[in-house]
């Protein structure tokens, strides 16, 4: 039996990987981000909000539970069609009302009560990786994801040729091994 969690007190969902500037397809078709649930219980994010500090906002409406599995990953993307999104297997499509800026932006995840669960604020490469055709990957989901040095550029090719690990543990350029959390 899986327990679904949907409260800020117990929800520990981490923004873990972001591809804001794909090369294999257009940004409108290929942008995606991944969340990770390091807890022992599934977390239902249906009804949560993704937004930035500007005007981009999207209420997650899956028509039912959208679970981030215990110890697992969930991919949210602008486009769920793997034939036109660069070959990404997507768990939830947020569509064209929410965008990930290439130069610098914020990605904020809020629960049902509008409590901020996680936030990443990347820059134009001054402190965060600024890859083209690759994701920014959090080196370890226990690290502060608002510190640019805790992110790397993914080196694993997926789908149509961009680099990232959508739906799986992150790999950082040069490491050759997945990031493992004990």
């Amino acid at each position: 039996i899986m327990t679904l969690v949907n409260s800020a007190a117990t929800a520990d969902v981490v923004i873990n990987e972001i591809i804001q500037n794909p090369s294999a397809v257009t940004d409108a078709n290929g942008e995606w981000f991944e969340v990770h649930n390091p807890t022992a219980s599934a977390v239902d994010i249906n009804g949560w909000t993704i937004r930035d500090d500007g005007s981009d906002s999207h209420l997650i409406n899956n028509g039912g539970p959208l679970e981030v599995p215990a110890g697992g990953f969930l991919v949210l993307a602008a486009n769920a069609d793997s034939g036109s999104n660069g070959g990404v297997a997507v768990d939830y499509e947020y569509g064209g009302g929410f965008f990930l800026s290439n130069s610098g932006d914020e990605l904020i995840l809020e629960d049902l009560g509008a409590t901020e669960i996680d936030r990443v604020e990347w820059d134009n490469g001054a402190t965060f990786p600024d890859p083209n055709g690759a994701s920014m990957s959090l080196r370890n989901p226990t690290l502060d994801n608002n510190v640019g040095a805790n992110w790397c550029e993914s080196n694993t090719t997926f789908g149509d040729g961009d680099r990232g690990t959508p739906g799986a543990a992150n790999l950082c350029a040069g490491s050759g091994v997945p990031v493992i959390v004990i």
Side-chain angles (χ1 to χ4, degrees):
I1 297 175
M2 285 195 139
T3 304
L4 296 180
V5 178
N6 218 348
S7 76
T10 54
D12 194 10
V13 176
V14 177
I15 299 166
N16 188 59
E17 189 171 9
I18 303 166
I19 189 161
Q20 77 279 18
N21 194 20
S23 293
V25 295
T26 65
D27 287 8
N29 282 315
E31 289 182 347
W32 55 267
F33 69 95
E34 173 190 85
V35 295
H36 173 63
N37 172 9
T39 72
S41 297
V43 177
D44 180 6
I45 65 170
N46 191 54
W48 289 22
T49 300
I50 54 174
R51 68 174 184 85
D52 66 8
D53 281 335
S55 60
D56 291 352
S57 181
H58 176 82
L59 177 66
I60 297 171
N61 183 358
N62 196 48
L66 181 61
E67 301 174 13
V68 187
F73 304 90
L74 191 83
V75 177
L76 299 94
N79 176 5
D81 179 359
S82 63
S84 62
N85 73 6
V88 181
V90 173
D91 299 297
Y92 179 80
E93 178 180 324
Y94 53 78
F98 184 81
F99 304 96
L100 303 170
S101 176
N102 296 345
S103 60
D105 205 352
E106 311 83 27
L107 177 55
I108 304 163
L109 186 62
E110 295 176 338
D111 70 6
L112 290 169
T115 299
E116 189 172 296
I117 300 300
D118 199 19
R119 164 191 293 256
V120 176
E121 297 181 25
W122 65 92
D123 53 32
N124 61 356
T127 61
F128 275 76
D130 189 24
N132 293 316
S135 68
M136 294 187 298
S137 299
L138 190 59
R139 293 179 187 279
N140 184 312
T142 63
L143 296 173
D144 183 346
N145 59 4
N146 261 314
V147 175
N150 291 340
W151 292 80
C152 65
E153 181 176 327
S154 184
N155 65 341
T156 304
T157 302
F158 72 90
D160 293 347
D162 281 337
R163 296 180 318 277
T165 57
N170 294 341
L171 290 169
C172 290
S175 72
V177 296
V179 177
I180 299 180
V181 180
I182 299 176

